[in-house]
Amino acid sequence: MSSVVRVLVVAASVQRRDHLRALLDAAPPLHVIGAVGTAEDAIGVATRRKADVIVLDQGGSPREALACTRRIMQVRATPIVVVTAAAMASGAQQAFALMEAGALAAVGDPGDGSGPEHRKALAGLLERIRLMAEVKVVRRWAPVPGEPAPAVPPDTATPPLILSRTSPALRTVLPVQRAHGRIELVAIGASTGGPVALKQMLATLPADFPAPIVVVQHIADGFLQGLADWLSQSCALAARIAEPGTVLQPGRIYLAPDGAHMRVEPFLRLAFDTGAVVNGHRPAVARLLGSVAAHYGGRAIGILLTGMGRDGATELKLMREAGSITFAQDAASSVVHGMPGEAIRCGGADYVMAPEEIGVAITGLVGGRR
């Protein structure tokens, strides 16, 4: 890709188109190639002018935004960044529905002005657009019939076991691993594409799942409560934003808060800090998985889902070396296979599966009725 990022703005109202275009036009190396109001117009301009990213305004009708996203992804698959003026409550949940339809990320609208909050929000929007422009495979939820499974990279130290839900190995190999001891904790890291992968995995877990689940999901500020609500509505387990002093309880999902690293200390107690960013992130998956490796070893399960970069890959390997059972999402189901792919390459994954298959596997390992 050239250094210039070609951006197409899609918004139902002329006012919103003008607003977003003004924000992006003033931010090289972004170049706005057009601003349109419908999916069909978006497809035409994106095709003729080779858009790198589509910035989709969530305002107006949620149904129209959803239909627009689906249509673009069906006809001219392009990275989509959703901009919403309602990062809290219902606006965030609607953004996750758009991600499920194929959008890559959602960010809050910086609005107008020139103060520090506006500048911070605008910088976040511009950075997210630049990052999403690098995503080549936008949406590959399942293997294409007849397409061979992705090969394990040749430099993997200890090749992981690649299983499907129907494999007899799920019933024979995985239960044997319970000899490690009772699983007390499941730790998950995810980034780009993570909300949908989390939903797919967590929705398979039973209501009596007997271990707490801790999650670091890289996400724009302001969307975390919406993610917790969306997951709670989609799964049998309740999701919440973790708080200082929390003692983890079985069958609950704890999301790392915005702007703070989350660690698990002995006796299932959470701790937080606002130290330096790690791998470009705070919260960082590395800090969570590293703490689990140090304190829980064979009493934990570690999982890396879709995401850019390598945050958590080394620490998943540390968990495996400490006796934990580890999983990485497969390439075919990942929006971006950066984080799980790095974990596979460095020998950090025991098993490589799609999110739903991981859910089935850990239910068998941890227990709980289905």
Side-chain angles (χ1 to χ4, degrees):
M1 181 184 299
S2 67
S3 58
V4 175
V5 178
R6 296 178 294 273
V7 181
L8 174 62
V9 172
V10 181
S13 77
V14 174
Q15 181 180 8
R16 291 294 297 165
R17 293 199 290 273
D18 291 344
H19 166 72
L20 291 172
R21 182 162 200 159
L23 286 176
L24 303 181
D25 265 339
L30 305 186
H31 172 58
V32 180
I33 61 173
V36 299
T38 69
E40 297 308 319
D41 287 343
I43 291 165
V45 174
T47 302
R48 290 194 306 272
R49 306 200 63 186
K50 296 181 173 58
D52 297 315
V53 178
I54 290 175
V55 172
L56 173 65
D57 176 49
Q58 186 182 303
S61 166
R63 181 177 298 181
E64 289 179 4
L66 188 61
C68 182
T69 300
R70 288 174 175 161
R71 182 65 178 155
I72 291 169
M73 297 307 299
Q74 288 169 355
V75 179
R76 212 282 186 183
T78 306
I80 296 175
V81 174
V82 176
V83 176
T84 173
M88 302 297 180
S90 61
Q93 293 191 55
Q94 292 168 9
F96 293 118
L98 295 180
M99 290 186 201
E100 201 164 21
L104 286 184
V107 292
D109 188 334
D112 299 313
S114 58
E117 289 302 316
H118 168 79
R119 291 195 296 272
K120 178 182 177 181
L122 179 58
L125 168 63
L126 302 179
E127 178 66 11
R128 194 57 54 96
I129 292 171
R130 285 191 286 265
L131 287 174
M132 294 307 104
E134 299 175 10
V135 177
K136 303 300 181 183
V137 179
V138 177
R139 195 180 186 207
R140 291 182 63 200
W141 300 119
V144 176
E147 180 179 295
V152 178
D155 56 341
T156 299
T158 305
L161 184 61
I162 301 178
L163 301 174
S164 69
R165 180 182 296 177
T166 57
S167 171
L170 274 176
R171 297 187 295 274
T172 59
V173 177
L174 292 181
V176 172
Q177 295 283 358
R178 298 186 70 172
H180 281 72
R182 184 172 67 88
I183 299 298
E184 298 180 12
L185 179 67
V186 177
I188 306 172
S191 188
T192 306
V196 175
L198 280 169
K199 176 182 174 180
Q200 292 168 338
M201 192 201 86
L202 296 171
T204 69
L205 305 185
D208 65 339
F209 190 79
I213 300 169
V214 286
V215 180
V216 169
Q217 165 67 60
H218 301 157
I219 198 166
D221 288 353
F223 284 81
L224 202 56
Q225 186 59 55
L227 176 60
D229 295 341
W230 186 66
L231 291 175
S232 295
Q233 293 171 7
S234 308
C235 309
L237 308 180
R240 55 177 285 190
I241 300 174
E243 300 175 351
T246 297
V247 177
L248 300 175
Q249 300 298 315
R252 296 185 184 176
I253 303 162
Y254 300 87
L255 304 175
D258 290 333
H261 295 305
M262 181 170 72
R263 310 183 310 277
V264 185
E265 297 190 331
F267 307 107
L268 295 177
R269 186 174 296 277
L270 291 179
F272 303 86
D273 70 80
T274 55
V277 299
V278 177
N279 298 322
H281 298 284
R282 188 175 61 224
V285 178
R287 293 294 300 277
L288 174 64
L289 299 191
S291 71
V292 176
H295 297 300
Y296 291 89
R299 296 173 291 149
I301 291 173
I303 301 168
L304 268 187
L305 299 175
T306 174
M308 300 182 77
R310 57 168 295 112
D311 188 22
T314 299
E315 290 71 23
L316 192 72
K317 183 179 181 182
L318 290 178
M319 286 187 65
R320 188 183 189 194
E321 292 171 345
S324 301
I325 305 167
T326 58
F327 294 82
Q329 185 172 348
D330 62 11
S333 65
S334 295
V335 172
V336 183
H337 201 231
M339 287 162 47
E342 289 294 331
I344 294 168
R345 276 186 281 275
C346 76
D350 286 311
Y351 305 104
V352 177
M353 301 177 181
E356 302 95 328
E357 295 165 349
I358 295 174
V360 171
I362 68 172
T363 299
L365 290 164
V366 179
R369 297 182 301 275
R370 289 204 52 79

